[in-house]
Amino acid sequence: MNFNLTEDQQAYVDTARAFAEKEMAPYAGQWDAEHHFPIEVFRKAGEMGFMGMYTPESAGGFGMSRLDAALIFEQLAMGCTATTAMMTIHNMVSWMIGSFAKPEVAEHWCSQLVTGEKLGSYCLTEPGAGSDAASLRTTAKKDGDSYVINGSKMFISGAGSTDVLVVMARTGGEGAKGVSAFVVPADAAGIHYGKAEEKMGWNAQPTRLVTFEDVRIPAENLLGEEGEGFKFAMMGLDGGRINIAVCSVGTAQAALNTARDYMNERSQFGKPIAAFQALQFKLADMATELVAARQMVRLAAFKVDSNDADKTAYCAMAKRFATDIGFQVCNEALQIHGGYGYIKEYPLERHVRDVRVHQILEGTNEIMRLIIARRLLADGAAELL
């Protein structure tokens, strides 16, 4: 059991950190304030290989492990949380198309997705169905050599600014077995986009309602076979929970670094506030909990890479723990700054706003607890080691 990074992994980390420091961190506050979706940065990220990390090599991607991708996403999140979160969603879309689409469909889209030339959005959540993918109501009816899609999706990241959608829709009866997945061009006739939602955080990416009215797509745009959509969605959620967890870890690390530097620079009562034991203890607790969260996320990524039977439980635990700790660390870092933490001259208030949504996305943390509890209470359940 070796917890040290390999030379290749350290190189990934160093490259991603340099990119985040140069291309993201200096502009993240401006993107947030102006609600700017930095498409130009996604193009540059594509040149670095960050837009198709675990897309299969057969589809033009890099075929990286989820652990290696998590190492990179952590560094990128230190530069801009919202932009990195969008990159994780795009990577999931590219991976799903590259893994399950017909060869000609995968070749057409992935060749442009892995470079960042085209961007993807993932359409699962509906007004009445979030993580409960088996209850979705959007339909896809077979009509000759086409499918016709009707329904709506909400809280779709990047919607209206991306080029392709992976859409979960019902092709059969009720429940999980009736769900299928499709590749849908984002400009297809019959797709309508709602207004950009006014959000607490994640302002550097648009979030919109997407409505499908008799949207006709070729039958070959079906991912896998009819009825496999729920399986793909669950696989996507496992990876998505790792991604959102590691975005929390990266953002929290950035907040911790800022707080540490501030403690050394700020003086009160004739000495740096770093000399006050109460703040030293606070900083130590923040660092300890953050390291624990990081290791849990990396363990979950390892479990996914190993196709462990309990990978879903580990992903749920990592997502629950890391997003809670990420928010706490960012909030404590803001507190250390006092009034300065509350103003936009410093990044702390943005960190707090951006990571708060991570406790909700990819299934709320209450749902994560249910997943873990059901695993522990199952008949004949073994210990989680």
Side-chain angles (χ1 to χ4, degrees):
M1 190 179 299
N2 186 353
F3 292 96
N4 292 323
L5 301 184
T6 66
E7 289 186 10
D8 284 347
Q9 289 172 330
Q10 189 60 56
Y12 298 154
V13 167
D14 294 342
T15 300
R17 175 170 289 201
F19 183 87
E21 290 176 348
K22 179 182 178 182
E23 303 291 350
M24 300 171 74
Y27 313 106
Q30 180 181 353
W31 297 339
D32 174 74
E34 298 177 358
H35 291 221
H36 174 66
F37 188 52
I39 291 177
E40 66 284 357
V41 173
F42 296 123
R43 305 282 190 270
K44 293 179 180 179
E47 294 173 2
M48 300 297 295
F50 299 151
M51 300 299 278
M53 285 190 279
Y54 46 88
T55 301
E57 291 182 277
S58 60
F62 293 91
M64 297 175 68
S65 69
R66 293 305 178 97
L67 176 56
D68 289 349
L71 298 174
I72 291 171
F73 285 139
E74 179 182 340
Q75 297 302 315
L76 296 177
M78 292 177 67
C80 179
T81 313
T83 303
T84 303
M86 186 64 220
M87 288 184 191
T88 71
I89 294 166
H90 171 92
N91 268 269
M92 179 171 65
V93 168
S94 181
W95 161 77
M96 208 169 272
I97 295 174
S99 299
F100 307 120
K102 307 296 186 291
E104 60 274 15
V105 175
E107 180 180 359
H108 172 74
W109 284 110
C110 289
S111 62
Q112 303 172 86
L113 291 170
V114 300
T115 63
E117 180 183 351
K118 300 290 186 183
L119 300 177
S121 290
Y122 182 59
C123 298
L124 172 64
T125 302
E126 298 183 359
S131 296
D132 182 13
S135 67
L136 61 82
R137 291 287 175 263
T138 296
T139 61
K141 302 293 186 182
K142 188 75 178 292
D143 182 24
D145 59 357
S146 301
Y147 282 93
V148 179
I149 301 176
N150 283 282
S152 61
K153 301 290 182 177
M154 70 184 306
F155 302 141
I156 305 304
S157 292
S161 298
T162 52
D163 304 286
V164 65
L165 314 174
V166 167
V167 180
M168 298 293 165
R170 187 165 298 283
T171 53
E174 296 296 314
K177 294 181 179 179
V179 177
S180 300
F182 299 89
V183 179
V184 182
D187 60 355
I191 296 180
H192 307 284
Y193 296 98
K195 66 177 180 64
E197 301 289 353
E198 292 289 335
K199 308 188 297 290
M200 174 180 172
W202 274 24
N203 291 320
Q205 54 162 282
T207 303
R208 290 184 170 91
L209 174 76
V210 184
T211 303
F212 302 86
E213 291 187 12
D214 294 328
V215 177
R216 185 175 293 272
I217 60 170
E220 62 260 27
N221 283 26
L222 173 70
L223 293 179
E225 303 296 333
E226 282 196 10
E228 290 192 308
F230 182 80
K231 177 179 71 174
F232 299 156
M234 293 303 98
M235 294 170 68
L237 283 173
D238 280 345
R241 286 164 184 159
I242 293 171
N243 290 344
I244 210 68
V246 83
C247 283
S248 288
V249 170
T251 307
Q253 185 65 62
L256 178 63
N257 293 349
T258 302
R260 176 202 60 207
D261 294 343
Y262 181 80
M263 284 173 59
N264 283 317
E265 296 165 1
R266 174 73 167 171
S267 292
Q268 288 287 281
F269 307 105
K271 56 184 176 181
I273 63 173
F276 292 97
Q277 193 175 66
L279 292 182
Q280 292 175 4
F281 286 178
K282 183 187 292 289
L283 197 70
D285 287 343
M286 292 160 64
T288 301
E289 290 167 345
L290 184 55
V291 168
R294 176 180 293 113
Q295 297 308 320
M296 183 169 280
V297 172
R298 293 180 181 180
L299 174 61
F302 170 79
K303 293 292 186 180
V304 170
D305 290 331
S306 305
N307 197 28
D308 189 277
D310 284 319
K311 60 183 181 294
T312 296
Y314 281 99
C315 290
M317 287 190 290
K319 192 269 180 181
R320 202 291 296 167
F321 188 73
T323 58
D324 282 350
I325 292 302
F327 178 77
Q328 291 173 24
V329 169
C330 290
N331 197 44
E332 292 287 6
L334 187 154
Q335 188 71 22
I336 287 172
H337 281 71
Y340 291 108
Y342 200 68
I343 63 176
K344 293 190 175 183
E345 180 181 348
Y346 290 82
L348 283 309
E349 58 84 31
R350 170 166 48 84
H351 292 332
V352 169
R353 288 187 288 107
D354 281 345
V355 299
R356 181 61 181 86
V357 74
H358 298 177
Q359 296 170 294
I360 301 169
L361 294 175
E362 306 293 346
T364 65
N365 282 357
E366 288 70 30
I367 293 175
M368 298 305 100
R369 292 181 174 93
L370 284 174
I371 292 171
I372 299 162
R374 286 172 181 171
R375 161 60 181 80
L376 294 173
L377 296 170
D379 288 342
E383 295 178 0
L384 292 171
L385 300 175

